[in-house]
Amino acid sequence: MLATPDLRHLTADDYDHIYEPAEDTFLFLDALEEDMEAVLAPRCPRICLEIGSGSGCVSTFLAMHLKTPTLYLTTDINPRACTATRRTAAQNRVVHRLEPVRTDLTAGLLPRLRGAIDVLLFNPPYVPTEVAEVVTADTAATDPSDLLAATWAGGQLGRVVTDRVLLQLPELMAPNGVAYLVLLQENKPDEIATMMAKLGFDMTIVMRRRAGRERLMIARFSRTIE
Amino acid sequence: MVRLLTHNMLQCHVKNCTNGFPLRFQDPVIEQHEQEINKEFLVNMLPRIDWNALRTTVDQLGLPELPAAVPENPAEDEAFLAALHRALMEVNIQSGSMVCPECEHVYPIRDGIPNMLLSEDEV
């Protein structure tokens, strides 16, 4: 078992604004640990991009344990999440290789980083909700005071934000890149696998776990080898 | 503390703006934070650095000039790696903003974090 990042610097006040690491986060860490030596280390990634980094727990975990000279870029629309991510990186002594950017998903990184993402990490807002509940960049830009819904409200099938990112994978990912995504059974993983096959990506479920009512899984996407 | 490493990867994404790179710093508060050099990291990162953009930015900030091109064998070139380390990793832009060279959109730096968010009518 690899150590999880030290999060003692984060307070109840932080968690009023950012997502507090929970079962989905820990499943994500366990899946990355599972893939660490066989999938991630041999790729010697240059750039790992985490979308919606929240507390920064996931990127920090990878930066702590993946012994490769990798840059960890993180994005979040919530300014509190960006500073929390940097604090978590600092608390765990990886801040020199981790760079938070406040933005909507990947905006401002393309086309500059086209085909340059070696590892992508995304724990999206996956809970099925009304589409109106999905937090947009516009809300985040005009009123950043309450962005907690951005961490969970996923719209129809819980897929509105997830699909926006999945459709960008062909542009984002390096030829040998791997993208990791947290999914619920309600997100219809089979439908996602079919959609991604058409875009030239294979989907593998790395790990599954039931947490209360949530049937969680971690999916890994890589380009189909022809 | 926006490092030039990060700055080198950010691009204007205002609708119809096609040449918004590299962003130009405006009113930058520059700090140099000494840090241990990680040569392996620098060499690994080099293929992802837009060299001309980095040189332009270093010049705009009035920092020591970088060589016109990356040497053929950068991993063996101690002086080059030291200069690259200073520019990419040790220069920190604490506050100020970044301006698109084409459409002049201003991206602020707040709490040392670049804010690339646009409102809906700008995307």
Side-chain angles (χ1 to χ4, degrees), chain B residues 97-117:
Chain B
S97 51
M98 300 176 298
V99 183
C100 173
E102 182 175 288
C103 77
E104 302 281 318
H105 184 87
V106 177
Y107 296 94
I109 298 166
R110 183 85 50 85
D111 297 325
I113 289 168
N115 182 358
M116 302 301 291
L117 271 186

Side-chain angles (χ1 to χ4, degrees), chain A residues 23-35:
Chain A
E23 285 302 325
D24 52 342
T25 319
F26 299 120
L27 179 64
F28 206 167
L29 301 191
D30 290 347
L32 292 172
E33 178 169 347
E34 170 89 10
D35 269 6

